[in-house]
Amino acid sequence: RNELLKQQRLLVDYQARSEQQLKNLEHLNNVINAAEEQMVQMRKRFEQCVQERNERGVQLIERNEEVCIFYERVNVQETVLRNGSVDTQTKDEEVRFLRMEASDANRDVDN
């Protein structure tokens, strides 16, 4: 009789442990599923960020090309401006020289 009670207690104890382990297993499965779902969401966000980074990189390259073209235009305009200034100085000197010659010619005519 004592042996039977011992066996019944052991059986009840094993059943309680088994139920507790099943609950723990279910909880751990829920934790794993939540972690996997979070990983999926993080992977999606990561891929989205990579795509945005790539788009920004392309935009940066395009803007850099535009800046290079802008600097080329500025350099051309500065060259044209410098050449125009030199031409203006040359013409101013020619005008001064011609005025001096005209003044000399007027003096010669007056004398």
Side-chain angles (χ1 to χ4, degrees):
R1 177 117 171 120
N2 271 343
E3 190 61 36
L4 183 60
L5 286 175
K6 251 185 182 180
Q7 292 297 324
Q8 284 179 341
R9 276 190 225 130
L10 281 174
L11 181 61
V12 169
D13 206 24
Y14 284 137
Q15 286 175 340
R17 282 185 188 175
S18 179
E19 287 178 23
Q20 185 61 38
Q21 287 178 345
L22 285 174
K23 287 180 184 179
N24 284 341
L25 184 61
E26 185 178 331
H27 172 71
L28 292 174
N29 279 332
N30 288 337
V31 169
I32 289 170
N33 289 337
E36 286 176 346
E37 179 62 29
Q38 188 178 12
M39 273 182 38
V40 167
Q41 295 302 320
M42 289 174 71
R43 187 173 290 124
K44 286 179 183 177
R45 179 67 182 132
F46 173 76
E47 290 171 0
Q48 184 182 25
C49 288
V50 167
Q51 180 66 28
E52 289 175 7
R53 181 205 61 193
N54 292 343
E55 291 171 2
R56 298 284 189 270
V58 168
Q59 289 176 348
L60 179 62
I61 290 169
E62 290 172 353
R63 296 297 95 72
N64 193 35
E65 289 173 356
E66 291 173 4
V67 167
C68 289
I69 291 169
F70 172 75
Y71 277 122
E72 287 176 12
R73 288 180 182 171
V74 167
N75 288 336
V76 167
Q77 289 177 351
E78 286 176 346
T79 302
V80 167
L81 183 62
R82 258 185 264 117
N83 292 341
S85 293
V86 169
D87 289 345
T88 301
Q89 282 180 330
T90 303
K91 295 298 179 188
D92 285 346
E93 288 175 13
E94 284 180 27
V95 167
R96 237 179 276 122
F97 177 74
L98 290 173
R99 282 187 179 153
M100 284 181 7
E101 280 188 349
S103 179
D104 288 344
N106 281 340
R107 270 190 237 126
D108 287 343
V109 168
D110 287 341
N111 288 332

